[in-house]
């Protein structure tokens, strides 16, 4: 079977679903994960281009079960997209943030990304040894990796950590021809940002992003598809901002 196989964590909705849709259009078969029992409407629409596997990225056992299932079913892995992520349940000031919230956010966003990559590395390396098209890894980071939000510091810390995960695995896996990329989304319209819609509407209208609109899951899907389609073969550890220009400084 030479169909290219991807894993997209948190691929049931939001940015992850945008990525799964873009990969389906490229001809990938994607194993999308989530914590919900059902695949959901978005994935069901894609038919046999996708399968759903319930796996909590924060759980050692779930990560292991996922990779064993992918190896058993397809025998290869061409792309790992570490997208699963959570925001704090409560936006608490840095001086009051709880250890519980810190641990919850770090467990999925940072530990989950690191150990999912570690767990997948064996199958990625075996695929690289057997296939002329080298496997890749894409981490979905955030502009929060370098932007201070003092009412969700645990999220910022987790995304700053993801950035180093990108650097470390880019370095470690380069000898196998496995490139690692990070996409840094800006303000993207998903369930995660729903509660703060008004705030972001106001900021965007005021010019916080030079491109004055919300980003969409499709914007991120397009960026992942460009990478997965082979647009950046001589780049690894690279960060791609998909943020409407948020990262620019202007005077
Ligand atoms: N939205 C933004 O503005 C924005 C900006 C920058 C970066 N990001 C990052 O982009 C990624 C996706 O965000 P989003 O806005 O699409 O969020 P979302 O709409 O809340 O969707 C999150 C997805 O991740 C899954 N998920 C959550 N915890 C998980 C876990 N422990 N194990 C496996 N899957 C898990 C959810 O599964 P269920 O569907 O089963 O609940 C869901 O499919 C996150 O890493 C986020 O930090 C988002």
């Amino acid at each position: 079977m030479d169909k290219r196989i991807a894993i997209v964590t948190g691929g049931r909705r939001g940015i992850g679903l945008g990525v799964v849709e873009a990969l389906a259009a490229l001809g990938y078969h994607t194993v999308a994960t989530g914590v919900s029992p059902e695949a959901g409407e978005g994935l069901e629409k894609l038919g046999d281009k996708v399968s759903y596997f319930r796996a909590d990225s924060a759980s050692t056992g779930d990560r292991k079960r996922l990779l064993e299932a992918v190896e058993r079913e397809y025998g290869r892995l061409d792309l790992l997209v570490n997208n699963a992520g959570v925001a704090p349940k409560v936006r608490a000031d840095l001086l009051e943030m709880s250890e519980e919230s810190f641990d919850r956010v770090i467990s999925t966003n940072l530990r989950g990304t690191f150990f999912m990559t570690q767990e997948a590395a064996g199958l990625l390396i075996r695929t690289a040894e057997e296939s002329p098209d080298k496997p890749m890894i894409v981490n979905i980071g955030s502009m929060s990796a370098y932007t201070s939000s003092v009412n969700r510091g645990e999220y910022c810390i987790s995304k700053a950590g993801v950035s180093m995960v990108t650097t470390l695995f880019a370095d470690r896996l380069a000898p196998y021809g496995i490139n690692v990329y990070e996409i840094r989304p800006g303000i993207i319209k998903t369930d995660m940002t729903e509660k703060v819609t008004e705030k972001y509407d106001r900021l965007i209208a005021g010019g916080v992003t030079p491109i004055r609109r919300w980003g969409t899951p499709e914007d991120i899907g397009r960026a992942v598809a460009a990478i997965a389609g082979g647009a950046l073969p001589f780049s690894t550890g690279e960060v791609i901002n998909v943020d409407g220009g948020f990262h620019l400084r202007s005077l």
Side-chain angles (χ1 to χ4, degrees):
M1 184 179 186
D2 43 24
K3 201 173 177 72
R4 284 176 296 172
I5 304 298
I7 291 175
V8 177
T9 65
R12 290 181 66 251
R13 56 193 171 95
I15 289 173
L17 181 59
V19 171
V20 174
E21 287 168 346
L23 292 175
L26 265 189
Y28 275 80
H29 179 87
T30 300
V31 179
T33 73
V35 288
S36 303
E38 306 293 335
E41 223 180 288
L43 291 182
E44 275 160 14
K45 274 193 201 143
L46 293 168
D48 62 5
K49 292 180 176 140
V50 59
S51 12
Y52 179 63
F53 195 97
R54 186 180 182 182
D56 180 348
S57 290
S59 151
T60 311
D62 281 10
R63 292 189 299 263
K64 204 169 161 38
R65 274 194 315 111
L66 170 68
L67 267 300
E68 279 169 3
V70 170
E71 176 136 36
R72 201 171 47 240
E73 189 77 15
Y74 308 104
R76 62 186 292 150
L77 180 60
D78 299 277
L79 176 67
L80 169 66
V81 182
N82 285 304
N83 164 76
V86 292
K89 284 184 184 157
V90 180
R91 289 191 169 205
D93 181 82
L94 206 60
L95 302 181
E96 277 138 32
M97 182 227 295
S98 67
E99 288 193 38
E100 189 193 3
S101 179
F102 185 96
D103 289 347
R104 174 179 165 270
V105 172
I106 296 290
S107 279
T108 293
N109 299 10
L110 181 53
R111 281 180 79 247
T113 297
F114 180 87
F115 286 105
M116 185 66 81
T117 309
Q118 190 193 65
E119 187 69 47
L123 184 54
L124 289 164
I125 290 169
R126 286 191 286 286
T127 306
E129 283 163 355
E130 286 163 16
S131 166
D133 298 323
K134 298 302 175 201
M136 302 173 211
I137 298 171
V138 178
N139 294 326
I140 305 297
S142 172
M143 63 191 193
S144 296
Y146 62 88
T147 304
S148 161
S149 298
V150 294
N151 61 356
R152 51 188 179 108
E154 62 276 61
Y155 183 81
C156 301
I157 293 166
S158 74
K159 292 299 184 176
V162 165
S163 212
M164 183 47 86
V165 173
T166 304
T167 303
L168 287 166
F169 278 106
D171 188 8
R172 183 65 183 85
L173 297 178
Y176 302 97
I178 299 170
N179 292 349
V180 185
Y181 306 88
E182 174 175 341
I183 289 182
R184 273 191 194 157
I187 303 169
I188 312 295
K189 194 112 195 143
T190 67
D191 295 341
M192 189 178 273
T193 45
E194 204 187 346
K195 278 192 223 153
V196 280
T197 299
E198 271 173 41
K199 175 186 171 182
Y200 286 144
D201 278 347
R202 222 178 320 114
L203 288 173
I204 292 168
V208 72
T209 53
I211 300 175
R212 292 189 188 195
R213 68 164 173 87
W214 282 78
T216 63
E218 192 195 350
D219 288 319
I220 312 301
R222 284 181 177 212
V224 174
I227 292 169
L232 299 173
F234 195 50
S235 303
T236 193
E238 197 60 35
V239 174
I240 298 153
N241 294 289
V242 186
D243 64 353
F246 174 85
H247 66 285
L248 301 175
R249 291 163 191 242
S250 68
L251 269 176

